[in-house]
Amino acid sequence: MNIVILGCGGFIGSHLLDRLLSTTDHKIVGWDPESSKIRKHLENPNFTLHQRYVDDPETQQDLREAVAEGDVVINLAAICNPSEYNTNPISVIKSNLFDVYPIVELCVEYKRWLISFSTSECYGRTLSSYVGDTTYENPDLYELKEDETPLIMGPIVNQRWTYACAKQMVERLVYAHHKEDGLPFTVVRPLNFFGPRMDYIPQRDGDGVPRVLACFMGALLNGDPMKLVDGGKARRTIVSIYEAVDAICRMLDNPEKANGHAFNIGNRNNEVTMAELADMMRKTYAKITGDPSYEDYPIIEVSSEEFYGEGYEDCDRRMPDISKAKELLGWEPKIALEDVLLDTMTYFHNEYAGAMKPAQVAE
Ligand code: UGA
């Protein structure tokens, strides 16, 4: 197959390249301004990288040729970091909606299969949270089903939803083209993929606020306290990046089954509150370093306004129904959260040697 991947140099893209370039003969053409996570593939004859942004005028011509020659286009290019949704909303809307529009149009023109990476945030908050039911007794009010659950987002003053809304619009655009023009498509809704190379470690190789894994890991590495936003009550289900990539490969291997569907890709068995995640991570780090004092590593609480600024609103819970992926792709994740954390945190520990000891933490 000829595969076009936009955003091939990010966390998901780098793992997808690892898998595809080592287990298949597919020819891959990718776009990404960043290549630090995919350096080892740059000399591979089956891979060509265009080191440019999607909205670069030069990209348009090359992309047209690549799509014309491609069998499938995978769009992973996005700004997908919650700390930017309310602080950098115009860029978030542009990169996740308007920059994607020409890609969708090209796929329509050449009738190419588009695998469009969306987000679990499309669901917004659970119905439970809106009716004030924090017991979550009724799964109908919180389980996320691709083709049934309403997509509910907060008011425009809560700019947290700029990203989710842009992604939802792309899903609707793609689906509309599928119905009207026969565009072959698959929408992927990732639910918290964790693994090596996710985001960046603050103060080491980036500024700002990455997603929770890198925030907690950065705290442990840098000797800062781990911060729980709004008490750490929010729940997430976490899936190994390796199993997530496996789901994508199953889609690529079964286009007739994947075409025309949105899929939740997540692990129902790995649900934790952010408070539980912080505790698991400090215990895992004690194991990795052999230093038991990490078990009591400082965890502090901060308000979301203090942490993210004005206009942040959280998704309370994300419990995916994954029966569609099971039935159509034969995909079912099995790696337990303990193992995901051990593997991922060992990678970060080895990568960023010189961690400070808990005794050095300024409380
Ligand atoms: C993000 C993206 O917006 C989604 O598109 C993406 O699908 C998802 O990550 C993902 O990785 O799959 P979210 O889970 O809200 O969504 O992002 P995180 O930044 O990882 O936050 C998770 C939770 O941890 C939130 O409740 C946040 O407030 C909390 N958090 C974050 C902390 O308690 N402390 C921190 O230091 C950072």
Side-chain angles (χ1 to χ4, degrees), residues 305-325:
E305 176 132 18
E306 200 184 320
F307 194 77
Y308 289 111
E310 202 187 326
Y312 178 79
E313 188 183 329
D314 211 346
C315 305
D316 53 315
R317 188 173 186 183
R318 296 181 184 151
M319 176 54 71
D321 181 313
I322 57 161
S323 44
K324 209 197 311 189

Side-chain angles (χ1 to χ4, degrees), residues 136-145:
Y136 296 104
E137 272 165 8
N138 182 356
D140 289 343
L141 297 184
Y142 69 84
E143 271 201 352
L144 309 175
K145 296 190 168 82

Side-chain angles (χ1 to χ4, degrees), residues 85 119 121 163 192 212 215 227 229 236 312 314 318:
Y85 306 163
T119 174
E121 288 205 13
Y163 168 74
N192 295 82
V212 69
C215 283
K227 292 181 179 168
V229 173
R236 297 289 186 269
Y312 178 79
D314 211 346
R318 296 181 184 151

Side-chain angles (χ1 to χ4, degrees), residues 11 80-83 85 118-121 160 163 167 189-194 198-199 209-216 226-237 274-275 277 302 304 307-308 312 314-315 318:
F11 164 55
C80 55
N81 186 333
S83 67
Y85 306 163
S118 188
T119 174
S120 53
E121 288 205 13
R160 157 59 182 250
Y163 168 74
K167 286 285 197 185
R189 293 184 183 154
L191 288 105
N192 295 82
F193 298 176
F194 271 26
M198 186 177 189
D199 293 342
V209 181
R211 283 171 290 185
V212 69
L213 167 73
C215 283
F216 287 168
M226 298 160 102
K227 292 181 179 168
L228 285 183
V229 173
D230 291 340
K233 291 186 297 296
R235 304 185 198 196
R236 297 289 186 269
T237 53
M274 293 306 100
L277 178 68
V302 291
S304 52
F307 194 77
Y308 289 111
Y312 178 79
D314 211 346
C315 305
R318 296 181 184 151

Side-chain angles (χ1 to χ4, degrees), residues 81-137:
N81 186 333
S83 67
E84 302 217 40
Y85 306 163
N86 55 320
T87 55
N88 213 358
I90 309 254
S91 294
V92 167
I93 293 171
K94 179 179 175 296
S95 74
N96 291 300
L97 173 59
F98 297 113
D99 291 353
V100 179
Y101 185 72
I103 300 165
V104 177
E105 293 295 297
L106 276 177
C107 290
V108 172
E109 188 178 332
Y110 291 97
K111 285 253 184 329
R112 291 298 181 263
W113 179 25
L114 174 61
I115 301 184
S116 183
F117 267 72
S118 188
T119 174
S120 53
E121 288 205 13
C122 276
Y123 294 107
R125 273 174 36 195
T126 63
L127 281 164
S128 281
S129 77
Y130 280 103
V131 298
D133 170 19
T134 48
T135 62
Y136 296 104
E137 272 165 8

